[in-house]
Amino acid sequence: MALEKNSKSLDSEQEKSQNEEVLRRDLTNLENKTEIESQSLEVSKENDNGFQDFGFNQSILNSLRNKGYKNPTPIQKAAIPELMLGRDLLGQAQTGTGKTAAFALPLIEKLADNKELNAKVLVMTPTRELATQVAESFKSYSSESSNFKTVAIYGGTDYRNQISALKRKVDVVVGTPGRIMDHIRQGTFKIKDINCLVLDEADEMLNMGFLEDIEWIIDQLPDNKQMVLFSATMPSEIRNIAKKYLNDPAEILIKSVKKETQLISQKFLYVQRHHKLDALKRILELNNEGVIIFVRTKLLTTSIAEALENSGHTVAVLNGDIPQNQRENTVDRLKKGFINILVATDVAARGLDVERIKLVVNYDFPFDKETYTHRIGRTGRAGRSGEAILFVNQREKHFLRNLENSTRTKIEEINIPSNKIINEKRMEKLIENVNESFIAKDENEALIIDLIDNLKEKHSMDDSNIAMSAINLVIGNKAFFVNEDDSWIHKQNNTDRNRSNRNGNNRMKNSNRRNNYQNDSFETYKFNFGKFDGVRVANIISSICNSTNINGRSIGKIQIFNDYSLVDLPRDLHRETKNKLKKIKVRN
Ligand code: AMP
């Protein structure tokens, strides 16, 4: 009954705006797919009725009011009516779009009068953090609904509390695949009444190797359940799962318009305290135009600036001791490019807005999430892209994990640039400079031609002798290539990220180890299949192992690009193995 009333009032409202018409077309199933462009959390403003039009009971509306939600986000507008009608749903949306409420609210509404003891809804998430968050969301949206119970079950914690919670009345169970399987097998999670299954962040579950587990769980659940699948990306594996298990699903795609922080590629590297300055200098070898380095103390700003100046960089300092007018002058010089690098404390750099900042280095770990977000926001200004690198020592590992959780971003690990990388970069720059000098400076052309003729006639030099001398002049007296001992870098880089308690999943640990492992015993092979072919790390490993005698453990880093993949394999492979590699097929 509630549902019928609902869709009628929704219909009359929808005639009012163009935007809503799209939704109505979708509801009547003329077009099965809704595409919405959205800022991460943009609530629709054209409809002041907020959540009331969905026909939610008063308890839900009260809890939404308590939470301060006034209007639904685009994904909520599109998904809630579908789920209220009991349809299956395939949604492509990132976190931050309001997708949790999009599935939680209609499910809570449907369970409003549930008197059963056993759970009716199961939500599967890839990590325990997400399981906790989703369970918390269910709890808060149902906080005004009497006797509504949500239980979270995930690995890495004691079974006893979970078992006793599952014994009492429960409406929704949120959990990670491994622990859900354990409880089903032990009979401590009664699934016979489950009539709705939500797969949240399905692509992440697949990346973590949970496909088999998910399929096993789906097979145990009763037939004819409502299925909801949310995924940030839609690779072919996810589409296949959708095809296999979802019944005529409504499809919703939220195309998120990138926010400024999303234009910033966030990275971290492991470095011991006494190697930080060396690591910084190496980072600046790759990027030294428009950089802010954040440090914790005023004293450090000056000592680091001095060290960088001695290495030939143009640097300035911004700290609380520097008078306001001097600070303004510094920022101005940075904007104009007279200074390339700024070493700053957090307070001094507050609100700094310089478009040419391409890189933010978190030399010292930020005190909290807000400081981190503020720091990295100094790059990626005005729609440009930027990079942020965070220095992490062994003791700060758990801060890193907390930071990732609280900012809900995955910070990618990178290595400190080795001699090889730096030398390649220096070479690249030199070639670029030589090439640019060839085209520029018309006014000197006659003079240079005279000079070359002179060198050829009087000094019997040929073209390559002249080029060699000119390049030597550019390089100067200093050694062009770095060749100092860089073995310490490999030691830092080989540190296992040890993020096992993220989800207790061994496959994840292995893949991290694979990414961190980098040394000279590897050679990089290029294969002509990539993301467009639906290829994943696991496919590549299994194909290589099945077609050659290479052991999975000896495969190094694997990088999958759109139409090719790079795989680090042991150096000096036998010719026969190399021939086999040439012929390998992945996913046929
Ligand atoms: P999610 O994408 O589900 O992780 O949600 C992102 C954030 O948006 C969470 O902090 C939610 O509490 C919040 N949120 C979800 N829906 C709304 C809404 N309609 N109005 C305001 N905040 C919301």
Side-chain angles (χ1 to χ4, degrees):
M1 275 299 279
L3 268 183
E4 212 176 79
K5 237 182 3 196
N6 221 346
S7 21
K8 270 188 202 142
S9 63
L10 202 61
D11 273 352
S12 61
E13 260 321 296
Q14 277 159 352
E15 274 150 29
K16 290 181 189 166
S17 84
Q18 243 184 351
N19 202 12
E20 285 167 32
E21 204 186 349
V22 178
L23 183 62
R24 191 157 56 91
R25 267 198 289 135
D26 183 52
L27 276 173
T28 51
N29 206 14
L30 288 174
E31 189 177 323
N32 208 26
K33 186 170 176 180
T34 314
E35 286 197 18
I36 302 162
E37 235 175 57
S38 150
Q39 289 280 350
S40 291
L41 193 75
E42 169 197 276
V43 291
S44 41
K45 297 182 187 73
E46 77 277 7
N47 178 1
D48 280 331
N49 288 326
F51 286 90
Q52 284 178 12
D53 286 344
F54 295 123
F56 291 142
N57 65 57
Q58 199 53 44
S59 314
I60 294 181
L61 294 176
N62 289 347
S63 58
L64 290 176
R65 189 170 321 113
N66 294 344
K67 284 193 73 76
Y69 292 9
K70 292 197 175 71
N71 290 296
T73 65
I75 189 142
Q76 291 161 3
K77 273 192 92 180
I80 291 171
E82 301 293 351
L83 294 176
M84 295 280 272
L85 290 168
R87 276 188 81 178
D88 284 3
L89 188 129
L90 176 63
Q92 184 174 353
Q94 322 268 341
T95 33
T97 49
K99 68 175 163 65
T100 317
F103 61 79
L105 296 172
L107 297 179
I108 295 171
E109 171 65 36
K110 280 175 75 179
L111 290 170
D113 302 320
N114 182 30
K115 302 271 184 313
E116 310 278 346
L117 199 66
N118 296 329
K120 292 212 155 172
V121 171
L122 171 63
V123 184
M124 257 198 273
T125 69
T127 62
R128 59 190 256 182
E129 283 80 16
L130 187 62
T132 321
Q133 264 169 38
V134 171
E136 285 310 315
S137 298
F138 267 98
K139 283 177 191 167
S140 71
Y141 300 138
S142 62
S143 59
E144 302 286 316
S145 315
S146 62
N147 203 23
F148 191 96
K149 286 278 174 312
T150 305
V151 172
I153 54 175
Y154 44 76
T157 42
D158 202 275
Y159 280 84
R160 276 169 296 185
N161 289 343
Q162 295 175 4
I163 292 172
S164 67
L166 289 169
K167 263 188 196 156
R168 287 179 244 128
K169 190 233 176 197
V170 52
D171 297 285
V172 177
V173 170
V174 186
T176 48
R179 188 56 69 99
I180 293 173
M181 284 172 82
D182 288 350
H183 280 290
I184 295 178
R185 282 201 187 105
Q186 290 168 21
T188 41
F189 175 20
K190 306 270 184 312
I191 50 171
K192 70 176 180 46
D193 294 331
I194 296 285
N195 59 19
C196 177
L197 171 68
V198 181
L199 302 176
D200 196 10
E201 298 198 357
D203 50 352
E204 200 52 37
M205 289 200 265
L206 251 58
N207 286 342
M208 290 164 64
F210 283 136
L211 179 59
E212 268 177 38
D213 300 355
I214 294 172
E215 299 210 296
W216 184 88
I217 294 168
I218 295 178
D219 288 344
Q220 310 305 308
L221 298 175
D223 295 336
N224 297 329
K225 56 198 164 295
Q226 186 179 14
M227 291 265 309
V228 180
L229 190 157
F230 272 106
S231 187
T233 56
M234 222 21 97
S236 53
E237 284 98 332
I238 299 286
R239 291 228 157 257
N240 290 342
I241 294 184
K243 255 189 227 142
K244 194 164 164 191
Y245 297 105
L246 273 57
N247 176 21
D248 183 29
E251 282 190 48
I252 296 169
L253 165 65
I254 298 289
K255 288 198 228 155
S256 63
V257 177
K258 288 203 165 181
K259 275 187 144 185
E260 286 197 342
T261 51
Q262 290 171 303
L263 293 171
I264 305 166
S265 88
Q266 301 179 46
K267 296 167 178 163
F268 80 91
L269 53 82
Y270 281 123
V271 58
Q272 283 169 299
R273 222 176 287 170
H274 59 281
H275 281 308
K276 276 169 105 171
L277 189 58
D278 285 333
L280 177 64
K281 286 184 186 165
R282 283 174 177 268
I283 292 289
L284 294 177
E285 283 273 353
L286 307 190
N287 188 353
N288 63 4
E289 285 175 18
V291 183
I292 298 191
I293 299 155
F294 280 99
V295 299
R296 231 172 248 170
T297 65
K298 294 173 198 165
L299 202 66
L300 258 181
T301 54
T302 44
S303 68
I304 288 177
E306 263 172 38
L308 296 181
E309 223 159 35
N310 290 339
S311 308
H313 295 287
T314 52
V315 196
V317 158
L318 211 62
N319 67 38
D321 283 350
I322 294 174
Q324 185 58 29
N325 57 355
Q326 199 179 323
R327 278 196 225 182
E328 282 166 17
N329 184 272
T330 303
V331 173
D332 198 44
R333 291 198 307 139
L334 181 69
K335 277 185 183 164
K336 290 182 175 147
F338 297 132
I339 304 167
N340 275 323
I341 300 171
L342 199 63
V343 190
T345 54
D346 290 305
V347 179
R350 189 149 291 162
L352 193 95
D353 187 7
V354 179
E355 278 186 26
R356 66 182 280 265
I357 298 296
K358 285 199 204 118
L359 171 67
V360 169
V361 179
N362 287 278
Y363 187 86
D364 288 326
F365 209 94
F367 284 115
D368 50 29
K369 168 187 130 188
E370 283 71 27
T371 310
Y372 175 75
T373 313
H374 176 267
R375 284 180 179 185
I376 66 166
R378 298 313 96 211
T379 182
R381 311 292 292 176
R384 297 182 184 209
S385 58
E387 193 181 4
I389 300 179
L390 174 64
F391 283 14
V392 180
N393 65 36
Q394 290 300 315
R395 290 208 198 147
E396 288 162 338
K397 269 183 180 178
H398 66 284
F399 293 135
L400 171 69
R401 216 164 27 239
N402 291 346
L403 188 67
E404 282 186 316
N405 290 338
S406 60
T407 56
R408 290 164 144 201
T409 12
K410 186 144 190 217
I411 306 178
E412 181 202 339
E413 182 175 0
I414 55 164
N415 294 329
I416 301 167
S418 62
N419 288 355
K420 184 169 173 268
I421 305 272
I422 291 176
N423 290 337
E424 276 168 11
K425 181 73 186 183
R426 285 188 180 184
M427 195 63 174
E428 199 180 291
K429 250 192 198 162
L430 181 65
I431 291 172
E432 207 176 279
N433 288 344
V434 171
N435 190 34
E436 270 174 18
S437 308
F438 169 69
I439 330 168
K441 301 206 179 102
D442 283 349
E443 71 272 24
N444 292 337
E445 201 174 324
L447 172 80
I448 295 170
I449 291 173
D450 270 357
L451 188 132
I452 294 173
D453 289 344
N454 190 310
L455 287 170
K456 282 183 177 170
E457 281 168 27
K458 295 196 180 149
H459 299 273
S460 325
M461 290 174 84
D462 62 15
D463 287 344
S464 64
N465 297 147
I466 296 170
M468 183 88 78
S469 311
I471 291 172
N472 271 332
L473 281 176
V474 175
I475 294 172
N477 293 331
K478 279 197 270 170
F480 181 72
F481 289 122
V482 264
N483 58 5
E484 61 204 47
D485 178 15
D486 67 351
S487 53
W488 61 275
I489 293 173
H490 298 302
K491 280 190 205 127
Q492 325 262 328
N493 293 343
N494 277 339
T495 322
D496 193 312
R497 193 173 178 186
N498 192 16
R499 316 175 85 199
S500 52
N501 51 355
R502 232 177 132 101
N503 49 50
N505 185 295
N506 274 331
R507 274 165 285 207
M508 183 75 175
K509 276 190 262 172
N510 287 340
S511 78
N512 277 330
R513 201 169 298 135
R514 193 182 308 289
N515 284 334
N516 296 342
Y517 202 88
Q518 190 216 43
N519 69 27
D520 290 333
S521 54
F522 282 97
E523 211 163 20
T524 305
Y525 285 73
K526 185 173 173 182
F527 294 90
N528 63 352
F529 39 73
K531 276 187 204 153
F532 288 159
D533 307 295
V535 164
R536 309 207 143 257
V537 169
N539 304 136
I540 296 182
I541 299 173
S542 65
S543 298
I544 293 178
C545 297
N546 291 338
S547 331
T548 68
N549 56 359
I550 300 173
N551 182 306
R553 283 173 189 276
S554 52
I555 300 176
K557 188 169 170 181
I558 298 177
Q559 299 170 77
I560 304 180
F561 299 91
N562 287 344
D563 51 4
Y564 69 97
S565 304
L566 298 180
V567 183
D568 284 359
L569 294 173
R571 208 171 266 286
D572 304 322
L573 286 177
H574 197 272
R575 192 151 34 98
E576 208 177 303
T577 313
K578 284 187 182 171
N579 285 338
K580 283 183 183 158
L581 279 174
K582 280 185 196 156
K583 291 182 202 143
I584 68 163
K585 278 188 173 178
V586 173
R587 305 182 78 230
N588 294 317

